[in-house]
Amino acid sequence: MINKPSHTLWLCCMANFINAADRVIMPIAIVPMTDEFKWDMHGQGWVLSSFAVGYISSQVIGASATRKYGGKNMLTLSVFLWSLSTFLVPLFAHSLYSLILGRVILGLGEGFGLPTMFHIFSHGIPSEERSRAFGYLVAFGSIGQTVASVICPHLTWRWMFYLFGSVGFLWVCVWLYSYTDPKAGDIEEFVEPPKVNNNNVNWREFVSHWPLWSIYIAHFSMNWSNYIIMHWLPTYLTRTLGADQTHIMLTAVPYVMNSVVGVVAGHCADSLISRYKWTVLSVRRLMTSIGLLGPGVFILFFSAVYNLPLAVFFVTICLGLSACNSSGHLSNHAEVAPSHAGITFAISNTLATIPGILCGPLTAELVTSSGGRWLPVFVLAAGVNFVGAIVYLSQSAASQLL
């Protein structure tokens, strides 16, 4: 079987759909679960952040294993592992420590996923289609979050996990039947070979170049605010703004905007490069600036209002503009390190998972120590975004480094 770029794209997009859906189940389910199991704020924080412990530990391992064992095997393992851990949550929820362990395993499985997809994309998607490909990949993740946010409030919390775990098992069956690795032995095939195909790169090279660090820092900054929104938005709307279970469906709105903006931004970025002859670097910097500075401003607006519809509007704009990063620094990996995009993304995503670990206990501590006020949480997130934008604008590049 020969994999067409479109065939590869849609299979990976559906995997990311399930990936992202499984991530937002717990932030929604934790409200009724807390009522049932009587967890305190710090317990909730550790349940939410334990996912990131597994996620951060598997990024580089997954990217390296993909080069050795192939994208098909690694993505199969990834989706099966995270789907199994999702499906089994109701069986272990009575024990906080067992639940935290299950969340670590969920993160471990999902940590293999995106580096593997980036590896597959860097080999199978032409450069003139890459911005929109990453745009669609990110958009399908947002659609997955949207679907989960709409469906889950209508289910008991146990059936949230059973349903989406089963969808992952179904995807594994389709993937095994319909996808064939283009890799043969140790020779990797590229739709568009890199200018210099150097497979013997010293590991120090991955952390020795400022253009790579600009990507890593931009990714870290983007994820800081995104993790705050993903993990704590249902709790914030419920406990601070008085939202009920019906209103929790409003958490789907930001993800709808994120998916739409991601696709539009991808097409615009490719058009600026191919039709209007912008340099790749200028497009990456423009999109990253919009994707970091815009959310930084609107998360401050979000923190200043206590009207539910207006708060949802501001957080929707915030998450929508964040999708521009898919055509910015997230697409930059395949240009600075085409032979090693999976590894550079894995390093980037490992560092960018630190906010996922910190945002649970740190948010709980900031809110508790400030007497229930969330303003310090959002001010910190905005500041991190602004710093990330400045670093990327001053240090990024689009020429091959590795």
Side-chain angles (χ1 to χ4, degrees), residues 105-384:
I105 295 172
L106 172 68
L108 187 72
E110 294 206 359
F112 293 143
L114 280 176
T116 302
M117 294 179 214
F118 269 65
H119 175 91
I120 292 170
F121 275 25
S122 69
H123 291 71
I125 305 293
S127 61
E128 66 272 13
E129 300 177 14
R130 204 165 281 149
S131 293
R132 72 190 75 153
F134 284 112
Y136 279 113
L137 184 68
V138 173
F140 266 72
S142 298
I143 294 170
Q145 292 170 315
T146 302
V147 171
S149 298
V150 170
I151 292 177
C152 286
H154 297 286
L155 303 173
T156 64
W157 67 263
R158 289 174 174 81
W159 273 102
M160 299 179 195
F161 296 101
Y162 289 144
L163 174 62
F164 285 94
S166 300
V167 171
F169 296 145
L170 178 61
W171 182 93
V172 169
C173 295
V174 174
W175 174 253
L176 287 172
Y177 174 77
S178 61
Y179 184 82
T180 302
D181 257 327
K183 181 179 178 180
D186 293 325
I187 302 174
E188 298 189 71
E189 299 179 11
F190 288 81
V191 166
E192 183 182 68
K195 295 176 182 178
V196 179
N197 196 353
N198 182 8
N199 290 317
N200 298 312
V201 174
N202 189 292
W203 276 96
R204 287 192 299 271
E205 292 294 308
F206 292 103
V207 293
S208 300
H209 301 278
W210 262 111
L212 283 172
W213 272 107
S214 73
I215 297 174
Y216 301 159
I217 292 170
H219 196 170
F220 178 98
S221 303
M222 175 190 75
N223 272 19
W224 189 284
S225 54
N226 284 356
Y227 269 115
I228 294 293
I229 293 170
M230 181 175 68
H231 283 178
W232 290 105
L233 184 59
T235 298
Y236 179 79
L237 295 182
T238 302
R239 308 302 187 197
T240 304
L241 301 184
D244 57 26
Q245 277 299 102
T246 303
H247 293 142
I248 292 302
M249 287 192 297
L250 292 173
T251 60
V253 178
Y255 299 123
V256 172
M257 180 65 75
N258 185 271
S259 61
V260 171
V261 173
V263 171
V264 172
H267 282 274
C268 288
D270 283 341
S271 180
L272 288 173
I273 294 169
S274 61
R275 181 179 300 179
Y276 296 101
K277 308 305 178 185
W278 282 43
T279 64
V280 172
L281 179 59
S282 61
V283 170
R284 299 294 177 242
R285 286 179 172 178
L286 171 66
M287 291 299 174
T288 301
S289 297
I290 297 172
L292 291 178
L293 296 176
V297 170
F298 278 95
I299 202 168
L300 292 176
F301 290 165
F302 170 73
S303 69
V305 300
Y306 292 91
N307 175 276
L308 182 61
L310 193 57
V312 171
F313 172 76
F314 283 140
V315 79
T316 297
I317 300 299
C318 176
L319 208 56
L321 293 178
S322 180
C324 292
N325 286 299
S326 62
S327 304
H329 63 84
L330 291 178
S331 296
N332 205 186
H333 291 276
E335 290 136 10
V336 297
S339 299
H340 308 279
I343 294 177
T344 59
F345 176 79
I347 295 171
S348 181
N349 212 24
T350 297
L351 296 172
T353 305
I354 294 173
I357 298 174
L358 295 178
C359 83
L362 180 60
T363 297
E365 182 60 30
L366 288 174
V367 172
T368 302
S369 61
S370 61
R373 295 171 65 247
W374 285 74
L375 181 62
V377 175
F378 300 126
V379 170
L380 179 60
V384 171

